[in-house]
Amino acid sequence: FFLIFKGIGLADTHAGLALTYLTFNLPYVVWLMMSFFKQVPRELDEAALIDGCGPFAVFRRIVLPAALPGIGAATVLSFVLCWNEFLFALMLTGQTTKTLPVAISSLVTQQGTAIGAVCASTVLAITPMVIVYFAIRKLLVAGLSLGAVKG
């Protein structure tokens, strides 16, 4: 993988790392979102089409808002996977493009561990995850009541 990226000039770049994360997270997100889109009742689509909406308007006004909890869940899970990823970041980044997990691991050396710096950077690393959790938890809970049509 590194040799391919080095050959096309994407090693040690942010674009190469973003492309790697996109490549490995996209199938997971598509698989996750398929189940959310399948849970949107077909009756809502048909009712909107009868009321005069076009296919894109049905998607934008009906399906997308109904699947918003799934989009939020996929976003959070994709963010977590990218934020905590270590192996590709270690292999594909250099001094100028290293990610936080790689930078934290570089604080552990043969001469010793800078324990204060490791603790501070670990708190720094988990802070965005905590913020994202508290910002989106209501959206994730809303996914439990996804159905909009009474049976």
Side-chain angles (χ1 to χ4, degrees):
F1 206 68
F2 174 75
L3 292 176
I4 292 171
F5 270 51
K6 187 169 176 82
I8 59 176
L10 288 177
D12 198 16
T13 63
H14 293 292
L17 199 56
L19 181 65
T20 304
Y21 292 156
L22 178 71
T23 303
F24 285 96
N25 284 334
L26 191 62
Y28 174 71
V29 169
V30 168
W31 174 72
L32 182 66
M33 289 307 300
M34 276 180 28
S35 65
F36 277 98
F37 282 121
K38 284 181 182 178
Q39 288 180 357
V40 176
R42 184 76 182 141
E43 291 83 8
L44 289 176
D45 296 351
E46 293 167 355
L49 288 171
I50 290 172
D51 287 342
C53 283
F56 182 71
V58 169
F59 178 75
R60 188 173 51 91
R61 292 182 180 165
I62 305 297
V63 176
L64 205 56
L68 201 58
I71 293 169
T75 302
V76 168
L77 292 175
S78 181
F79 177 74
V80 168
L81 289 173
C82 289
W83 187 259
N84 292 329
E85 201 281 321
F86 181 76
L87 182 65
F88 289 119
L90 181 65
M91 295 297 152
L92 296 176
T93 61
Q95 289 295 87
T96 59
T97 58
K98 79 170 64 165
T99 61
L100 198 53
V102 175
I104 292 172
S105 72
S106 68
L107 295 173
V108 179
T109 63
Q110 289 181 352
Q111 285 78 26
T113 302
I115 204 72
V118 169
C119 290
S121 57
T122 302
V123 168
L124 181 67
I126 66 170
T127 301
M129 304 305 280
V130 171
I131 291 170
V132 165
Y133 167 74
F134 283 113
I136 205 155
R137 70 178 171 183
K138 288 184 182 180
L139 186 64
L140 294 175
V141 171
L144 299 174
S145 59
L146 186 61
V149 174
K150 290 185 177 182

